[in-house]
Amino acid sequence: MTRIDIALFNYENGGRTPDGRYDFTRLQYAFADVTAVPALILFCEAKHYRDNAGMAKYAAAEALSDELGVPYVVELGWMRRGPMPPAIFYNPDLLVLRRWWNPDDPAAFDDQRNVARFAIRDSGRVRDERREFLTFVHHFEPLSGDTRLEQARRLSRYGATETLPVIGGGDLNATASGDHFPQRDWAAAAVHHRTHKGTRRPDGTWGPDTRALDHLIGRWDDTTRQRTDGCGLHAVAEMAWRADPTRPITPTVNPAIDAGGGLLIDWLLANDAMTPHVLPDTYHVHIPDPRYPPPSDHRLVTAAIDL
């Protein structure tokens, strides 16, 4: 078995500054306290990383390599709503990329985009002997719960029906049902902001719109303290909480980003075939040092699998 450390990070605007330049010192700072070097980084907001022959994407990979001391290869993903796709960075000494659709390829179906097929290099001497797994990275729609639900439906094929182990994640811009997750005071948010991640209840009050995540991982049953009717994906954050309920689940956005309190919206998800390989005690939401400005509006999330 081989340990594969995984990181998930939404780097605000991909490090692009208002003058069109890029700041990757904050990206390095975000990873400065990791205790295990990631073999795979799921990255959101690669803003304009295709421009200028990919100068920004290669600079980001070089900055991560300089900070973490391993080589990284980068592949850009696809996003319909603008020039800010997700990306994957991976260490080619540990992982072999076998499949990743070109974002401009008209032959790709939407549910195949942003999904990578990897082999673990040291798991076999030759190609046919190596163990494989799938990973995905997505950045769901921030403004519409209906759109997020549709995106979740496309992602659901990688749950219980996928026989390969799958672990993926992204900024999914929503939380899931369950009082063990971070909660938000919806009355503290302006009405137009409530509609982004919230929904109006029949009694007129506001609460979180959990439809997209509940479709993927199941609805929380307060009586049984279990999930039902999911499509076969499991939240690594919840796996870690079940392994040690004394550790509260932490928001993945920094304070003062969302009025009323931050939620867990950056998710690592594993399918049934992957869950035996997840190491729950490695799940960690990295809290920036409060003495300094945070490197992004979102927090770095890390975990590991043994596959």
Side-chain angles (χ1 to χ4, degrees):
M1 305 293 278
T2 302
R3 173 167 164 151
I4 303 295
D5 285 275
I6 299 170
L8 166 63
F9 190 46
N10 183 335
Y11 187 38
E12 188 173 7
N13 290 317
R16 186 180 170 94
T17 58
D19 62 3
R21 300 181 183 183
Y22 286 88
D23 177 9
F24 293 120
T25 59
R26 291 184 299 119
L27 179 62
Q28 292 175 312
Y29 168 54
F31 281 82
D33 72 336
V34 297
T35 57
V37 175
L40 175 65
I41 300 172
L42 309 175
F43 186 93
C44 293
E45 299 200 8
K47 189 173 184 179
H48 289 292
Y49 277 23
R50 298 192 204 285
D51 297 358
N52 299 317
M55 183 177 68
K57 73 173 182 177
Y58 297 124
E62 186 174 358
L64 288 166
S65 295
D66 289 345
E67 176 64 33
L68 297 169
V70 301
Y72 284 106
V73 176
V74 56
E75 296 281 354
L76 289 184
W78 172 84
M79 177 182 281
R80 190 188 301 277
R81 66 180 182 269
M84 198 158 65
I88 54 169
F89 296 80
Y90 68 95
N91 180 348
D93 289 344
L94 297 177
L95 299 176
V96 181
L97 182 60
R98 291 188 166 172
R99 187 167 181 166
W100 177 263
W101 281 97
N102 183 319
D104 302 320
D105 193 330
F109 292 95
D110 282 359
D111 61 0
Q112 296 173 321
R113 299 182 188 276
N114 302 333
V115 179
R117 188 181 186 119
F118 280 108
I120 301 172
R121 188 176 294 280
D122 69 359
S123 64
R125 295 175 299 109
V126 295
R127 176 184 176 89
D128 291 344
E129 295 177 357
R130 294 186 178 120
R131 295 188 295 278
E132 292 185 321
F133 68 97
L134 300 181
T135 191
F136 59 80
V137 56
H138 289 294
H139 192 172
F140 279 8
E141 165 64 46
L143 305 180
S144 168
D146 292 337
T147 303
R148 288 193 294 271
L149 179 57
E150 183 62 29
Q151 292 171 315
R153 286 171 175 153
R154 283 196 292 272
L155 182 57
S156 63
R157 64 171 286 188
Y158 299 101
T161 59
E162 175 57 60
T163 57
L164 276 177
V166 180
I167 189 163
D171 175 3
L172 304 187
N173 268 310
T175 190
S177 57
D179 58 8
H180 53 305
F181 283 115
Q183 302 297 313
R184 182 179 182 183
D185 177 6
W186 294 93
V191 172
H192 67 287
H193 285 153
R194 292 178 206 166
T195 64
H196 295 178
K197 296 181 178 70
T199 186
R200 190 188 294 272
R201 295 166 172 158
D203 64 0
T205 63
W206 284 80
D209 186 340
T210 65
R211 291 175 296 163
L213 265 298
D214 286 356
H215 177 75
L216 296 173
I217 67 175
R219 292 179 291 104
W220 182 255
D221 186 312
D222 288 328
T223 302
T224 64
R225 308 295 286 176
Q226 301 292 329
R227 294 199 175 273
T228 61
D229 298 332
C231 71
L233 288 167
H234 309 272
V236 175
E238 197 164 66
M239 295 173 65
W241 172 78
R242 287 193 181 281
D244 182 3
T246 65
R247 291 176 53 193
I249 298 176
T250 305
T252 59
V253 293
N254 284 310
I257 302 302
D258 291 324
L263 301 172
L264 191 162
I265 62 173
D266 302 87
W267 296 84
L268 287 173
L269 304 175
N271 73 343
D272 292 340
M274 179 62 85
T275 53
H277 305 285
V278 173
L279 304 175
D281 63 334
T282 64
Y283 176 82
H284 183 53
V285 177
H286 296 253
I287 309 299
D289 189 327
R291 296 175 297 174
Y292 307 104
S296 180
D297 50 352
H298 290 244
R299 294 166 171 171
L300 175 68
V301 180
T302 55
I305 59 175
D306 194 13
L307 184 62

